[in-house]
Amino acid sequence: MKIRIVGLLFLVVGIYACLELQKDIQPLSKSWEFAIPHQEIPEGLTAMNAAYCATCHRDHYEEWKLSTHAHAWTDLQFQAEIKKESSPFMCINCHIPLQNQQEYIVTGLVDGDIYQPVKEENPHFDYELQQEGITCASCHVRDGAIIGSIGSDKAPHKVIKDPAFLSETLCIGCHNASAELTTTLVCTFETGDEWKAGPYFEKENCISCHMEEVERPLVAGYEPRVSHRHFFAGSGIPKFDTVVTKMLSGYAYYPQAPKDTYQLTDSIAYQLNIKNEYAGHRVPTGDPERYFLINFALINEVGDTLAAQTGRIGEKWEWYPVAKKISDNNLYPNEERPFKFRYQPTKKEKLRLDVKVTKHRLDEKSADYNKLGSNYPLFIEVYEESYPIEVM
């Protein structure tokens, strides 16, 4: 009886092996399907994690900790997304781009299906490096050396000077991921294309704005030299309520203030002009769920809201049954748009007009669906004014 069972097991294993051999394994072909190949620790170093780099490059490390890059992997929204069955394997390649950071190595696709990756365990998987998301090594370690934009002959490790590699091309590798993967799955991050189509192409680039120049020692105790900030300032919306991050505002706000007093027969009028004055791409950009709200509220002396209006800047999408963009009013570089408030008073009284602009990562409905919790900030305030008004 035992011999028959063993024989049956061998038969099952043999059939399974044959079926595996019959599968059409297609190689990866798209750029976003690949992680950066395994990187050896450069000679002279014993680790590649950011905290180790901080031993010498303390300022750079402290700035990086305030960046959203540092939380690209641990971001609660991203973690919720990649746990869904609809999330394909390649999404992690922008959030943990080094193969060293990934538990598995993807070598191909069964029948070319993005939901059937052929995986093998990564013998060099580094959990600590994974948790750092977009870390120092993501940009600065290649082929056993540290890549710098200026170079140095004093470093304890091998340094290769390659400013072309560390140009905006590296940024656009992730910040211009645009593809229709399935009918319901669209990757639409078009910041690079927006910049190329804008007025600052070949004049200023990602680094000009998001990594401002500063003169400082590269390592404490050395002579100051030209360096770049590593905040990677952007939306300014932190990934956790215990984290501080840096904002870079693309908008300028030009209010046309209301009068201090109005007659009962007058209409109270206010206008806020919003201009994309500082960004070389559209604002908002990147994640299509981002948007701005422009809120007006006219409040009386007892705190009652007499009138409220809301404007919105951002894309609107329908994701099912077919992903498609419904509308898009993001501001182009140097585009200016007015937002108006008007109210006809009905009696003599003292009022206050509150104006507030908020920048949003995603709406509450999506946050609830992803079970993100109360410690996940959904928005920040970026502009606020109050105007006392008296109706005579």
Side-chain angles (χ1 to χ4, degrees):
M1 184 66 180
K2 289 182 180 179
I3 293 173
R4 289 181 180 178
I5 293 173
V6 172
L8 182 61
L9 286 174
F10 273 109
L11 179 62
V12 171
V13 171
I15 293 172
Y16 180 77
C18 289
L19 290 173
E20 285 293 300
L21 289 172
Q22 291 176 5
K23 288 183 177 179
D24 180 17
I25 309 299
Q26 297 183 13
L28 305 178
S29 59
K30 308 293 193 304
S31 60
W32 56 80
E33 294 176 344
F34 294 88
I36 298 167
H38 172 74
Q39 300 297 314
E40 295 290 344
I41 298 173
E43 186 178 349
L45 303 179
T46 59
M48 290 196 299
N49 61 295
Y52 180 76
C53 298
T55 305
C56 294
H57 305 291
R58 192 73 198 179
D59 289 346
H60 299 71
Y61 172 70
E62 293 296 338
E63 291 166 2
W64 167 82
K65 285 201 302 183
L66 298 178
S67 73
T68 53
H69 278 179
H71 304 283
W73 176 253
T74 56
D75 173 29
L76 297 179
Q77 182 186 4
F78 177 70
Q79 284 295 318
E81 292 290 349
I82 63 170
K83 287 179 173 64
K84 297 175 183 176
E85 290 185 1
S86 60
S87 180
F89 75 95
M90 79 282 291
C91 291
I92 69 174
N93 288 338
C94 279
H95 290 254
I96 45 171
L98 293 176
Q99 191 178 91
N100 307 52
Q101 299 175 291
Q102 301 184 10
E103 292 184 68
Y104 300 96
I105 299 172
V106 177
T107 58
L109 303 175
V110 177
D111 297 327
D113 185 352
I114 61 172
Y115 291 111
Q116 294 190 68
V118 179
K119 301 191 296 185
E120 58 185 51
E121 287 193 17
N122 182 0
H124 303 292
F125 170 57
D126 186 330
Y127 175 81
E128 183 178 0
L129 202 62
Q130 180 192 67
Q131 301 307 299
E132 293 182 348
I134 313 299
T135 186
C136 312
S138 305
C139 300
H140 290 283
V141 175
R142 295 293 186 277
D143 302 322
I146 302 296
I147 297 180
S149 58
I150 300 174
S152 172
D153 57 1
K154 299 177 181 179
H157 49 71
K158 183 179 178 181
V159 177
I160 295 176
K161 179 182 176 180
D162 194 346
F165 174 80
L166 293 173
S167 70
E168 70 280 357
T169 304
L170 190 59
C171 310
I172 291 173
C174 280
H175 291 276
N176 203 66
S178 180
E180 184 176 324
L181 303 172
T182 70
T183 55
T184 59
L185 182 63
V186 175
C187 188
T188 173
F189 295 79
E190 300 171 340
T191 307
D193 287 340
E194 294 168 5
W195 166 69
K196 289 178 181 178
Y200 303 109
F201 178 56
E202 296 186 334
K203 297 176 184 176
E204 296 188 43
N205 57 31
C206 315
I207 296 167
S208 306
C209 295
H210 295 275
M211 298 184 71
E212 63 178 300
E213 279 193 2
V214 58
E215 190 166 310
R216 62 180 174 187
L218 191 62
V219 177
Y222 282 71
E223 289 295 316
R225 59 189 289 184
V226 174
S227 178
H228 290 275
R229 296 291 188 191
H230 280 62
F231 297 123
F232 304 104
S235 75
I237 307 173
K239 298 293 187 180
F240 301 92
D241 57 9
T242 55
V243 170
V244 176
T245 188
K246 291 286 184 176
M247 183 183 75
L248 189 64
S249 179
Y251 287 162
Y253 302 93
Y254 297 102
Q256 296 180 11
K259 296 186 296 183
D260 295 333
T261 60
Y262 287 85
Q263 298 300 314
L264 192 57
T265 55
D266 296 336
S267 290
I268 297 172
Y270 172 83
Q271 180 171 310
L272 178 65
N273 287 2
I274 299 179
K275 183 178 181 181
N276 181 2
E277 190 164 315
Y278 307 115
H281 48 72
R282 303 183 76 195
V283 177
T285 189
D287 191 331
E289 291 188 282
R290 296 175 180 174
Y291 61 95
F292 286 75
L293 290 181
I294 301 89
N295 297 291
F296 305 106
L298 190 65
I299 300 167
N300 63 18
E301 285 187 291
V302 296
D304 295 331
T305 300
L306 303 183
Q309 292 176 205
T310 300
R312 187 182 187 276
I313 305 173
E315 302 176 20
K316 290 184 179 180
W317 280 73
E318 182 179 282
W319 299 104
Y320 188 84
V322 176
K324 60 181 178 180
K325 187 186 293 187
I326 304 301
S327 64
D328 179 353
N329 68 348
N330 295 344
L331 292 184
Y332 287 90
N334 296 320
E335 181 182 1
E336 185 172 351
R337 186 174 301 153
F339 292 86
K340 300 178 181 180
F341 174 86
R342 183 172 291 274
Y343 177 76
Q344 181 63 53
T346 58
K347 64 178 181 179
K348 297 178 181 180
E349 59 184 331
K350 291 183 178 180
L351 305 171
R352 185 184 79 244
L353 176 63
D354 289 343
V355 182
K356 184 182 296 184
V357 180
T358 50
K359 180 189 290 189
H360 297 250
R361 172 178 285 118
L362 74 167
D363 59 32
E364 291 186 8
K365 182 179 179 181
S366 297
D368 290 342
Y369 178 78
N370 285 319
K371 299 179 175 62
L372 296 181
S374 59
N375 66 324
Y376 190 71
L378 301 183
F379 68 92
I380 57 172
E381 295 180 8
V382 292
Y383 180 85
E384 186 173 14
E385 286 286 351
S386 289
Y387 301 93
I389 295 170
E390 185 171 1
V391 179
M392 309 291 287

